């Protein structure tokens, strides 16, 4: 039992770093004080079940994730088309349907993305840690990575490190359907 309890803090810290959350941002998401999260991460405090439930919910994980033996927690996810979960995005005109398991269990996430005509990533290029790989199933997608412009059509792929400034838009009058994968950096 001591081994399970001593593993909670490192799991919380690893997840927080994988998601790129500061102590304060996780505290706000979980409705738990940053000091409490810090103490849990340092194994200076054993969280109550209520606190652990809040932290698990902030990551979209079951509380069992924190108390399972790592060797027993090797997930395999099978997703049928009808079971694809929508993924929230702030980009208008971009619909994402998950085809992978939760980020807390995997380093990679993927979605079937439908980019509506005229939709774009916005006026400013993005940049963040990780990698992305896109494979266009149908339609057309204009993508710019570090000032190099690409026009992707069915069968084209683009793979890049996402710390480079990048942006996208659908310049056509038809939907563009893309398999869009993201790999988060290991901390």
């Amino acid at each position: 039992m001591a081994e399970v309890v001593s593993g909670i803090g490192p799991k919380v810290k690893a997840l927080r770093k994988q998601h790129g959350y500061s102590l304060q941002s996780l505290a706000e998401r979980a409705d738990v004080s940053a000091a409490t999260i810090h103490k849990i991460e340092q194994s200076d405090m054993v969280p109550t079940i209520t606190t652990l439930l809040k932290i698990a919910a902030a990551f979209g994980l079951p509380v069992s994730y924190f108390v399972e033996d790592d060797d027993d927690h090797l997930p395999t996810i099978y997703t049928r088309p009808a079971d694809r979960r929508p993924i929230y995005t702030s980009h208008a005109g971009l619909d994402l349907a998950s085809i992978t398991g939760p980020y807390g269990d995997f380093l990679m996430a993927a979605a079937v993305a439908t980019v509506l005509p005229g939709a774009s990533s916005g006026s400013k290029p993005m940049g963040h840690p990780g990698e992305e790989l896109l494979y266009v199933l149908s339609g057309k997608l204009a993508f710019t990575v570090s000032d190099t412009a690409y026009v992707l059509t069915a069968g084209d792929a683009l793979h890049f490190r996402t710390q480079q400034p990048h942006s996208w838009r659908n310049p056509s009058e038809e939907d563009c359907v893309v398999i869009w994968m993201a790999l988060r950096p290991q901390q």
Side-chain angles (χ1 to χ4, degrees):
M1 183 152 111
E3 191 174 313
V4 170
V5 171
S6 67
I8 294 172
K11 286 182 178 181
V12 171
K13 186 173 187 175
L15 280 171
R16 181 176 62 78
K17 289 185 176 269
Q18 289 167 1
H19 283 78
Y21 297 157
S22 66
L23 282 169
Q24 187 59 42
S25 64
L26 177 56
E28 290 169 5
R29 288 176 177 275
D31 193 27
V32 174
S33 76
T36 297
I37 292 171
H38 179 72
K39 287 178 185 176
I40 292 168
E41 288 184 356
Q42 300 304 309
S43 297
D44 291 339
M45 170 190 225
V46 177
T48 65
I49 189 65
T50 302
T51 299
L52 197 54
L53 283 165
K54 288 179 177 183
I55 292 170
F59 290 117
L61 293 171
V63 78
S64 61
Y65 173 84
F66 297 98
V67 295
E68 287 178 335
D69 199 9
D70 284 340
D71 292 338
D72 295 336
H73 190 65
L74 297 174
T76 300
I77 304 297
Y78 173 62
T79 307
R80 294 178 182 268
D83 297 333
R84 291 182 185 151
R85 297 178 329 272
I87 300 172
Y88 169 78
T89 177
S90 61
H91 299 293
L94 176 63
D95 293 319
L96 300 172
S98 178
I99 57 173
T100 55
Y103 242 3
D105 289 340
F106 296 94
L107 297 175
M108 179 178 52
V112 175
T114 303
V115 186
L116 302 179
S120 75
S121 57
S123 59
K124 292 185 176 183
M126 300 174 281
H128 48 86
E131 293 181 38
E132 290 183 11
L133 171 63
L134 295 84
Y135 179 78
V136 177
L137 298 173
S138 65
K140 184 185 290 187
L141 190 65
F143 221 98
T144 302
V145 180
S146 291
D147 297 324
T148 301
Y150 303 90
V151 177
L152 308 172
T153 59
D156 290 342
L158 184 65
H159 187 186
F160 62 99
R161 297 277 178 113
T162 54
Q163 65 265 30
Q164 301 173 84
H166 58 282
S167 60
W168 54 264
R169 66 183 174 81
N170 180 346
S172 72
E173 294 185 18
E174 65 179 72
D175 290 355
C176 180
V177 180
V178 181
I179 300 295
W180 205 313
M181 292 178 266
L183 179 69
R184 64 185 153 91
Q186 290 184 294
Q187 299 293 324

